[in-house]
Amino acid sequence: MRRTGRRDTVPELALRRELHRRGLRYLVDATPPGTNRRRRADLVFRGARVAVFVDGCFWHSCPVHVHRPKSNAAWWRVKLASITARDRDTDARLAEAGWHVVRVWEHEDPVAAADRVHGVVHARARRGRGAFRRRAAG
């Protein structure tokens, strides 16, 4: 488990490349401001308040590619369930803090995932600018 990379995985790099190609800029492996420092998102769009997580199929229990180890099965069941529970808790805490969470599976097409992320970031950034204009004008 120590050898499992925390950032710069192949699926994450593919998504980052596609988002950068579209002109989006982001923080990598960062904690969204105003949230728990130990919960780090793979990509953070601060202005739009969007946190993106690129989840590995094994570690985050992908419903399509679920794989349960046969050796030490009870320990792995608890371990993988705790990771899934932590993911749901992270989503809830970020939502409470006003963040929108986008979860991308490692097996997803990077272009399709970038479409989703780009749409959310664009919609939330546009909404935020309108709110700023209304406050400034009022």
Side-chain angles (χ1 to χ4, degrees):
M1 284 183 273
R2 257 184 250 150
R3 288 189 219 154
T4 303
R6 182 161 120 172
R7 58 176 282 178
D8 299 335
T9 62
V10 172
E12 183 185 334
L13 289 173
L15 178 63
R16 283 172 26 195
R17 226 180 336 270
E18 183 61 28
L19 291 170
H20 194 273
R21 186 184 69 72
R22 295 173 186 216
L24 292 176
R25 299 302 179 256
Y26 43 80
L27 298 175
V28 176
D29 188 33
T31 302
T35 62
N36 186 335
R37 293 180 330 178
R38 296 190 60 171
R39 308 279 173 103
R40 301 177 68 82
D42 295 314
L43 304 174
V44 173
F45 297 89
R46 284 191 297 194
R49 295 181 65 84
V50 175
V52 179
F53 295 87
V54 181
D55 292 339
C57 290
F58 174 75
W59 291 107
H60 297 270
S61 301
C62 169
V64 176
H65 299 109
V66 68
H67 169 73
R68 304 279 185 235
K70 304 258 188 283
S71 179
N72 207 1
W75 185 86
W76 278 108
R77 190 176 327 102
V78 170
K79 173 69 174 169
L80 296 176
S82 71
I83 292 171
T84 303
R86 186 187 65 214
D87 289 345
R88 298 298 77 81
D89 181 58
T90 298
D91 294 350
R93 288 174 186 253
L94 286 170
E96 287 172 12
W99 287 80
H100 184 88
V101 176
V102 178
R103 294 236 174 226
V104 176
W105 290 107
E106 71 175 331
H107 67 265
E108 284 186 61
D109 175 41
V111 174
D115 288 341
R116 244 182 343 132
V117 172
H118 186 261
V120 170
V121 169
H122 186 69
R124 287 183 59 95
R126 191 170 7 134
R127 185 184 74 187
R129 279 197 305 270
F132 176 74
R133 284 192 196 119
R134 282 191 298 275
R135 279 195 307 263

